[in-house]
Amino acid sequence: MPRLLSRTPTSSPALRIAGIRISSFTNNNNNKSRSYATHPPKARLNLPTDFSTTALLHHSAKSAQADPELGPALRDGSTSRLNLFQAINSALASALRSDPNVLLFGEDVAFGGVFRCSMNLASEFGDERVFNTPLSEQGIVGFAIGAAMEGAKAVAEVQFADYVYPAFDQLVNEAAKIRYRAGVNADKQGCGGLVVRMPTGVVGHGALYHSQSPEALFTHIPGLRVVIPRSPSQAKGLLLAAIKSPDPVIFMEPKILYRAAVEHVPASDYELPLSKAQVLRSGKDLTIVSYGTPLYTCLDAIAHAEKDFGCSVELIDLRTIYPWDRPTVLESVNKTGRAIVVHESMVNAGVGAEVAASIQEHCFLRLESPVQRVAGWSTHTGLMFERFNIPDVVRVYDAIKKGLEY
Amino acid sequence: MPTYRILDQDGNIADKSREAPAVSDEELLKMYNDMLTVSIMDLIMFDAQRQGKISFYMVSAGEEGIAVGSAAALDPRDPIYAQYRETGIFQHRGFSLADFMNQLFANKHDPGLGRNMPVHYGSSKLNIHTISSPLATQLPQASGAAYAVKQQNAQNPMDDPRIVVAYFGEGAASEGDFHAALNIAATRGCPVVFICRNNGYAISTPTLEQYRGDGIASRGIGYGIDTIRVDGNDILAVREVTARARKLALQDGGKPVLIEAMSYRVSHHSTSDDSFAYRAKVEVEDWKRRDNPITRLRKWIEAKGLWDENKEKEARSRLRKQVLEAFKAAEREKKPALSNMMGGVYSRLTEEQEAQTDAVRGIIEKYPDEYDVSEFEGGLNSLKLEEARKA
């Protein structure tokens, strides 16, 4: 499959010319200057997220250490400022270091990966444990499942979530069902050691095949855990938990955050719980449920809405998209009486449909307005139309307004 | 590519210039007994399906020699990934008649806990992974498994090294997973032996509509894989070729080997198939009469004085009796507890599954005349949360 975008400078460090890889990677500097993504001069709402000030990231060591979820043991430990790909790299390194059964492989993983997530790991841990595979997604995932079935902790990379479909059979019919069908042999013959990592989501110019968010296709599959982190510290804790998890995990990394999101990340190992949502800010009038990149959009929209409408909005990060933390979401909506679900992927049969239906079923008497879904439209990500397609600040702001005025 | 054989159709050494293979009398008799057992169980269970006693069955008539002969050449610790027509492997490694029957009847002793269709056997004790229906998915898994086993071989140099073996039919070799598996096994140096059963048909599709190259074996070369084609009706040849392949797979730090075993699917594809809709009965009868792995080995062991007509009669009647006894015992057992419907998907029940377990129990309690839970171990009790969480 063509991987055109992986060779473009803003999203990827690597260029491939006549089979020779040339690294154009310089450093993890925040790259916000895209000539083709500027905002209109009078825009008030749809401004680019300022990752250097957003409240969703730890801008000081103190803030990271004070995070109650990271545990008291990290309170006095050191932290370093990492972006998302560096945090993933740090998690992979510590997993490889702490367990000889951990393997890391996929297309172009050995030289560091097209997004730099596996930088220096092959040289530190050897090419027996960190290696390139042939270009075949069904092969990568099938291979990973088999290695996990013999006790390895197989961390497989699919270069873009858009290319996971050739491996769909292996994930849906095999990985998800092996434990169940093995019955009494499950503990010895399951594939719980499996983690399939894949960059996901829009990146500004990824068009049809470097933008997709196929998580809803996996949330329909009992047996898989589907995880999407929103920040570097979260990515590290959730990835380490995914590698330890006795169930196979689909780990989707928002690629637009690889370099953009930078924060203080504790240096030592820690895990964040799977299937547990996080209430990012509490409010009393409306609940917004989201995950991954749109959380930053939601936060910006909430700031404007609270100022303009004098409301208070609760924001929940699902983190694990399936099996998801229903009680946290339902408790919140039962308190606020209004809900909006926000995600980048298409609205039709998306994660929002499941969340909205569950809210309707369990919070019916408390609802004061219809549950709204702010999501990608039911179309593909055409190159020039991305900014009109994804949930932006205006659309979330407008949904809050509609919910309050209903 | 030529076909390697040791015995001709009359059970004589085909190449008079070579010596008979060194196989002990005991092993010859075990291989013969294993093939005979599978063949007798197949006849009885095929009929049992026809009578509605079990929902589905697949025989391996004509291919018993491939499964038993290759299994005989492996270390019992070598993990096996099979397709579904390799019952002889389970028989050779020690699956008992009770084990077969418990799975076929999906009773409470079925290791798959009543979740899988019949013939989808599995055993961690015997190092054979549970069969799954999607074709060829086990092939890249076997490559990855072999890579993990190779790492373990390196970490435990005092143990005898292991390989992984994967079985598949010539139809499954048309799946993308076949390509993925052989390519990655070659590039990563995986100690895996791929054994293709080329029996001429994938359900109704003859090989002429499956491929136009020289079978499956010719493809191995293209992937840089050592490959051999063997007469699948010659159990001694299958055994020898597999033993050599196993040694080869462990050389040079590990590498894959491909074996194409030629045979003929004497039977219908499954109990859901009438093969005379697409092939002539006379063709099948001709194969049955002309060549068969069981009669070929029988001629060899009779020539060695290890077997005769009386022993044959006695063995057949004894095995038939044992199969029927196991059949009746398995049929009488209760079905697995209902908690196994939801349990086991994840390492523990999710919050959503707990709520749904309550919902199932609630529905059955509300409409007790609409459901019969009495045939399931523990009845409705197993759907109480404290019980369901144990599944």
Side-chain angles (χ1 to χ4, degrees):
Chain A
M1 280 182 198
R3 275 136 176 97
L4 305 174
L5 191 78
S6 69
R7 314 302 172 207
T8 61
T10 50
S11 67
S12 159
L15 293 168
R16 184 178 283 172
I17 300 168
I20 302 165
R21 291 199 191 91
I22 302 166
S23 176
S24 65
F25 173 66
T26 49
N27 212 327
N28 61 319
N29 287 329
N30 209 341
N31 185 355
K32 279 184 291 179
S33 56
R34 287 197 209 99
S35 60
Y36 44 84
T38 52
H39 52 87
K42 287 187 190 165
R44 182 175 75 95
L45 300 171
N46 268 344
L47 304 175
T49 297
D50 185 352
F51 287 99
S52 64
T53 58
T54 176
L56 288 185
L57 297 171
H58 294 301
H59 300 293
S60 68
K62 216 173 179 180
S63 158
Q65 289 158 337
D67 187 337
E69 271 222 306
L70 301 186
L74 300 180
R75 202 140 295 164
D76 303 318
S78 66
T79 67
S80 35
R81 282 187 86 236
L82 301 179
N83 65 23
L84 188 78
F85 83 65
Q86 292 166 326
I88 299 277
N89 181 271
S90 156
L92 292 170
S94 67
L96 284 157
R97 202 171 293 126
S98 62
D99 185 347
N101 292 314
V102 173
L103 301 174
L104 178 67
F105 51 87
E107 295 158 15
D108 306 300
V109 163
F111 88 112
V114 299
F115 289 111
R116 290 311 189 230
C117 292
S118 48
M119 278 293 279
N120 302 319
L121 298 180
S123 52
E124 182 175 353
F125 299 101
D127 61 6
E128 295 291 307
R129 295 181 65 202
V130 179
F131 53 87
N132 290 338
T133 63
L135 206 162
S136 163
E137 285 75 16
Q138 64 193 102
I140 292 168
V141 174
F143 186 93
I145 291 170
M149 287 170 88
E150 298 304 329
K153 298 250 183 223
V155 183
E157 178 178 303
V158 170
Q159 204 162 68
F160 286 83
D162 312 62
Y163 303 125
V164 74
Y165 308 114
F168 210 55
D169 185 38
Q170 286 286 352
L171 288 168
V172 174
N173 274 329
E174 297 292 318
K177 295 177 175 61
I178 285 171
R179 158 175 278 279
Y180 188 75
R181 75 182 186 223
V184 300
N185 298 317
D187 287 341
K188 283 184 184 162
Q189 300 195 327
C191 67
L194 175 74
V195 176
V196 183
R197 295 175 44 237
M198 59 191 86
T200 188
V202 299
V203 67
H205 53 289
L208 306 187
Y209 305 111
H210 299 81
S211 300
Q212 297 179 39
S213 295
E215 64 271 13
L217 299 176
F218 297 114
T219 63
H220 194 57
I221 313 301
L224 300 176
R225 292 193 187 270
V226 185
V227 176
I228 304 184
R230 70 158 194 278
S231 72
S233 66
Q234 205 188 57
K236 181 174 173 182
L238 289 173
L239 182 53
L240 286 174
I243 293 170
K244 275 228 184 111
S245 163
D247 301 309
V249 179
I250 308 283
F251 195 85
M252 304 173 80
E253 300 161 7
K255 59 181 162 302
I256 200 166
L257 301 180
Y258 272 142
R259 287 151 191 263
V262 183
E263 69 174 335
H264 278 267
V265 179
S268 49
D269 287 359
Y270 58 94
E271 288 176 36
L272 291 171
L274 302 186
S275 292
K276 187 87 192 74
Q278 187 182 14
V279 180
L280 297 176
R281 69 198 300 285
S282 65
K284 57 183 176 47
D285 300 317
L286 188 145
T287 301
I288 296 183
V289 181
S290 189
Y291 51 87
T293 315
L295 286 164
Y296 297 92
T297 308
C298 291
L299 198 66
D300 288 350
I302 289 169
H304 286 291
E306 291 193 339
K307 208 165 97 201
D308 293 357
F309 315 132
C311 58
S312 119
V313 179
E314 185 147 309
L315 180 61
I316 297 180
D317 178 0
L318 276 185
R319 301 197 287 195
T320 296
I321 318 303
Y322 196 78
W324 61 294
D325 184 356
R326 298 194 308 172
T328 296
V329 171
L330 300 178
E331 188 191 330
S332 170
V333 182
N334 269 325
K335 181 180 74 176
T336 62
R338 296 181 182 86
I340 304 171
V341 193
V342 183
H343 56 71
E344 222 174 79
S345 59
M346 296 77 76
V347 66
N348 47 296
V351 170
E354 177 66 25
V355 174
S358 300
I359 290 173
Q360 178 274 135
E361 201 178 342
H362 296 280
C363 310
F364 185 72
L365 291 176
R366 278 292 297 129
L367 283 178
E368 291 171 42
S369 66
V371 181
Q372 298 180 76
R373 290 178 286 166
V374 179
W377 305 113
S378 304
T379 180
H380 308 297
T381 311
L383 178 70
M384 292 314 295
F385 314 117
E386 182 185 301
R387 80 186 85 145
F388 304 101
N389 193 18
I390 59 164
D392 59 4
V393 179
V394 169
R395 287 181 60 202
V396 179
Y397 175 89
D398 188 58
I400 297 172
K401 188 166 188 286
K402 273 194 205 156
L404 295 171
E405 290 172 352
Y406 187 81
Chain B
M1 197 175 282
T3 303
Y4 180 76
R5 65 160 44 167
I6 293 176
L7 297 180
D8 65 19
Q9 288 175 8
D10 300 319
N12 300 316
I13 300 284
D15 177 359
K16 306 288 182 208
S17 68
R18 67 162 285 170
E19 285 184 26
V23 187
S24 71
D25 293 351
E26 191 189 1
E27 194 183 331
L28 284 171
L29 289 172
K30 171 165 172 55
M31 290 196 295
Y32 187 73
N33 180 71
D34 285 339
M35 287 198 290
L36 204 58
T37 307
V38 169
S39 140
I40 287 168
M41 179 171 73
D42 276 356
L43 287 171
I44 293 171
M45 297 319 291
F46 191 89
D47 286 347
Q49 192 281 335
R50 286 289 186 257
Q51 294 158 18
K53 298 267 188 186
I54 58 171
S55 57
F56 178 79
Y57 196 73
M58 300 180 104
V59 308
S60 51
E63 296 171 66
E64 301 93 336
I66 300 173
V68 173
S70 55
L74 301 174
D75 185 300
R77 293 161 60 250
D78 294 336
I80 287 178
Y81 292 72
Q83 181 167 303
Y84 48 59
R85 212 183 294 285
E86 294 93 0
T87 304
I89 298 169
F90 288 87
Q91 167 65 26
H92 187 273
R93 284 206 168 177
F95 222 52
S96 69
L97 288 172
D99 292 332
F100 285 118
M101 294 300 152
N102 291 334
Q103 199 283 331
L104 294 169
F105 282 97
N107 67 25
K108 67 176 188 179
H109 301 301
D110 167 16
L113 297 169
R115 293 164 180 162
N116 306 309
M117 281 178 78
V119 194
H120 291 51
Y121 309 116
S123 167
S124 57
K125 196 181 83 184
L126 304 179
N127 299 307
I128 314 173
H129 286 276
T130 305
I131 308 275
S132 77
S133 306
L135 289 178
T137 49
Q138 78 278 19
L139 301 180
Q141 292 169 11
S143 301
Y147 193 78
V149 162
K150 169 175 158 168
Q151 303 273 98
Q152 290 160 17
N153 287 346
Q155 285 162 13
N156 308 295
M158 302 304 284
D159 290 356
D160 289 332
R162 296 180 300 152
I163 65 158
V164 168
V165 185
Y167 293 82
F168 58 103
E170 90 287 347
S174 297
E175 293 282 2
D177 274 337
F178 167 85
H179 160 69
L182 270 70
N183 198 36
I184 200 167
T187 57
R188 290 312 302 171
C190 301
V192 52
V193 174
F194 295 105
I195 302 182
C196 177
R197 296 174 290 96
N198 189 338
N199 63 16
Y201 285 92
I203 305 188
S204 74
T205 306
T207 52
L208 266 178
E209 293 166 21
Q210 198 64 248
Y211 54 73
R212 282 298 164 108
D214 182 10
I216 308 305
S218 67
R219 300 181 199 168
I221 315 300
Y223 292 106
I225 292 179
D226 293 323
T227 302
I228 189 165
R229 176 174 285 155
V230 63
D231 183 343
N233 282 357
D234 179 353
I235 193 168
L236 297 184
V238 172
R239 184 186 163 283
E240 181 175 298
V241 159
T242 310
R244 295 257 191 112
R246 190 179 187 282
K247 267 190 196 156
L248 204 55
L250 289 168
Q251 281 175 14
D252 310 327
K255 56 181 173 177
V257 181
L258 172 63
I259 298 172
E260 182 182 26
M262 309 307 287
S263 73
Y264 183 83
R265 197 192 78 212
V266 175
S267 64
H268 300 304
H269 164 71
S270 73
T271 47
S272 307
D273 171 51
D274 173 13
S275 66
F276 301 133
Y278 50 82
R279 62 180 182 181
K281 202 167 183 172
V282 60
E283 174 190 326
V284 179
E285 291 305 321
D286 195 39
W287 264 97
K288 274 187 185 168
R289 196 176 50 252
R290 192 173 64 219
D291 194 21
N292 171 312
I294 300 180
T295 50
R296 221 197 280 193
L297 183 63
R298 182 180 165 184
K299 285 171 184 164
W300 174 249
I301 56 178
E302 280 185 351
K304 286 174 74 81
L306 294 172
W307 202 249
D308 57 35
E309 185 62 28
N310 282 338
K311 283 184 175 159
E312 177 79 10
K313 270 189 185 159
E314 185 278 323
R316 281 181 177 274
S317 109
R318 173 174 41 83
L319 287 169
R320 198 180 148 72
K321 202 167 145 242
Q322 287 170 348
V323 170
L324 289 171
E325 276 167 10
F327 180 114
K328 282 175 196 147
E331 198 182 18
R332 279 196 299 269
E333 292 286 357
K334 285 209 166 193
K335 300 304 178 196
L338 282 169
S339 54
N340 294 303
M341 175 176 87
M342 204 84 79
V345 175
Y346 294 97
S347 49
R348 58 167 191 223
L349 282 182
T350 66
E351 175 270 334
E352 181 185 40
Q353 289 179 318
E354 293 196 346
Q356 291 176 2
T357 301
D358 275 341
V360 179
R361 198 184 73 239
I363 281 285
I364 301 173
E365 280 170 347
K366 195 169 170 187
Y367 300 95
D369 296 340
E370 306 294 330
Y371 301 94
D372 181 7
V373 296
S374 66
E375 63 173 330
F376 294 90
E377 181 77 2
L380 202 50
N381 203 36
S382 83
L383 289 180
K384 286 188 176 151
L385 271 190
E386 61 271 26
E387 288 301 310
R389 285 184 183 130
K390 293 176 194 162

